[in-house]
């Protein structure tokens, strides 16, 4: 973590997000549906054709959610592991952070 200052500052921004109504207006779920659902499915189960083809991660699994920190998720969004495209250029930092939240909301008990 210590060698990732930008990631850390992004996380700081993430913590702030909840208390900043202006930023909260960026709709993470809408962004998720637009950019991520084709592979990971709207509910995160990744049971779409592309999800199967690319072995996309099931993002709703409680165990996966427990094993991945917000910065892990942010890193995946920015860099795009495996067959997943990276979104560092396609989404603004604010958008990336609200999508992290949308991914958290996919959690199933
Ligand atoms: C083209 C299909 C595709 C799209 C679009 C896509 N992903 Fe992925 N995603 C994948 C695949 C495939 C993996 C698994 C890669 C691997 O395990 O090597 C993955 C993995 C992940 C992971 C988990 C990585 C891990 O370490 O377990 C996260 C989080 C994730 N995606 C979030 C997103 C989000 C958020 C979006 C939208 C901004 C998105 N993905 C868009 C295919 C996609």
């Amino acid at each position: 973590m210590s060698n990732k200052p930008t990631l850390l500052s992004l996380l700081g921004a993430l913590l702030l997000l909840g208390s900043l109504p202006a930023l909260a207006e960026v709709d993470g779920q809408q962004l998720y549906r637009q950019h991520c659902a084709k592979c990971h499915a709207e509910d995160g189960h990744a049971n779409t054709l592309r999800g199967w083809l690319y072995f996309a991660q099931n993002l709703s699994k409680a165990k996966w959610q427990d094993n991945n920190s917000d910065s892990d998720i942010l890193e995946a969004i920015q860099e795009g592991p495996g067959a997943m495209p990276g979104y560092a250029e396609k989404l603004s930092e604010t958008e990336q952070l609200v999508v992290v939240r949308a991914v958290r909301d996919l959690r199933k008990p």
Side-chain angles (χ1 to χ4, degrees), residues 50-103:
R50 264 185 272 198
W52 287 108
L53 282 176
Y54 296 139
F55 304 104
Q57 179 65 240
N58 180 345
L59 303 175
S60 70
K61 269 196 192 155
K63 198 169 169 204
W64 178 86
Q65 291 270 352
D66 288 342
N67 289 339
N68 285 272
S69 67
D70 286 353
S71 68
D72 291 334
I73 297 174
L74 184 59
E75 202 173 292
I77 292 171
Q78 290 175 337
E79 297 179 0
M84 176 175 157
Y87 289 86
E89 310 287 313
K90 290 176 214 159
L91 298 175
S92 72
E93 291 187 359
T94 306
E95 288 171 330
Q96 292 166 21
L97 292 171
V98 292
V99 171
V100 171
R101 291 207 147 187
V103 169

